[in-house]
């Protein structure tokens, strides 16, 4: 059967417009039905992207309606500044550490909850509680847990002898970002666990039974059956988690506000500061466009890496 693409490619340049007109008229009902979806996507996706890029080309203070065209000056200033590369490093370690911990913990929890254990329904429901709590509230709770005088974390570390005196995790420039990672992992791990659990339940039991008959140990079953069968699920879950973590604002802002001394600030935190603390919407828009470009390139490379060799999702 000849596909629409093949039929289109076989047309000459002169006849393609006529072919498209005929195609649209012949299927006008289908095009009419998808028109609202196209208009919606253009309104909530395409327009904000184009408007943000336009705004990045202007000097646009928040306290004045006057906009001055400056071209690519914002981008040049950003790439020549030291803070930009510091933000890239801090955003990268925040995303890698958080997504890695959420993926590993989520997979371990999902594998455990997929077993026939006592109270399995209760634990499956209980693990969803952290994800159902608003991010800001969870961040406040973890800020108190890590408090140097009143927090449980310091009490546990002192009791076990791992530290000799209380430490201020969120007040230290080298540990503040990791304190925020702990809160983000606690919040995001249930989502990963539920997604992986749904994927595990779609794997036929026959595969494990055959492997057990052949004498495969638990680790070999996990490596050669569970992980390959969950490949598509892992791809989607880690891709979504990476994007959400990259643009995450609530946790870091509530716990550290990017401090101390910008040591826990990410690109999103800096965009907020530039826009509303420094009052420069144009520069903030330029940071946003750069962040969007990073995410777009990452998503394309990530999908190509996972689907190399002609594999489909």
């Amino acid at each position: 059967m000849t596909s629409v693409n093949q039929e289109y490619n076989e047309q000459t340049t002169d006849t393609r417009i006529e072919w498209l007109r005929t195609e649209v008229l012949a299927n006008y009902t289908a095009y009419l039905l998808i028109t609202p979806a196209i208009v919606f996507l253009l309104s909530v996706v395409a327009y904000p992207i184009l408007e943000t890029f336009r705004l990045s080309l202007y000097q646009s203070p928040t306290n004045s309606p006057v906009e001055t065209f400056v071209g690519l000056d914002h981008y040049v200033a950003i790439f020549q500044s030291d803070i930009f590369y510091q933000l890239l490093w801090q955003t990268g370690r925040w995303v890698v550490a958080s997504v890695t911990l959420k993926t590993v913990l989520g997979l371990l929890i999902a594998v455990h909850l997929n077993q026939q254990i006592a109270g399995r329904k209760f634990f499956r429901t209980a693990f969803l509680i952290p994800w159902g709590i608003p991010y800001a509230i969870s961040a406040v709770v973890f800020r108190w847990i890590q408090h140097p005088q009143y927090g449980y974390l310091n009490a546990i570390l002192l009791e076990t002898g791992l530290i000799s005196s209380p430490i201020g995790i969120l007040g230290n420039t080298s540990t503040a970002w990791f304190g925020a990672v702990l809160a983000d992992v606690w919040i995001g791990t249930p989502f990963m666990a539920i997604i992986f659990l749904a994927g595990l339940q779609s794997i036929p039991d026959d595969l494990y039974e055959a492997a057990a008959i052949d004498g495969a140990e638990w680790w070999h079953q996990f490596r050669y059956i569970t992980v390959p069968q969950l490949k598509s699920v892992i791809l989607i879950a880690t891709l979504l988690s990476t994007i959400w973590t990259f643009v995450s604002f609530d946790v870091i802002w509530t716990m550290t506000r990017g401090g101390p001394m910008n040591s826990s600030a990410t690109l999103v935190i800096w965009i907020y500061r530039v826009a509303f603390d420094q009052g420069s919407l144009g520069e903030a828009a330029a940071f946003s466009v750069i962040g969007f470009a990073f995410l777009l390139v990452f998503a394309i490379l990530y999908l190509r890496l996972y689907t190399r060799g002609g594999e489909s999702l």
Side-chain angles (χ1 to χ4, degrees), residues 175-194:
T175 58
W177 71 278
F178 191 72
V181 166
L182 293 179
D184 191 64
V185 169
W186 186 79
I187 295 168
T189 297
F191 169 79
M192 304 293 276
I194 292 301

Side-chain angles (χ1 to χ4, degrees), residues 91-104:
T91 304
R93 72 181 181 185
W94 155 260
V95 172
V96 171
S98 184
V99 174
T100 300
L101 288 173
K102 283 186 284 190
T103 301
V104 173

Side-chain angles (χ1 to χ4, degrees), residues 11-23:
Q11 302 296 323
T12 63
T13 305
D14 296 334
T15 59
R16 281 182 179 175
I17 296 178
E18 180 63 24
W19 181 87
L20 286 174
R21 190 182 69 82
T22 305
E23 185 71 15

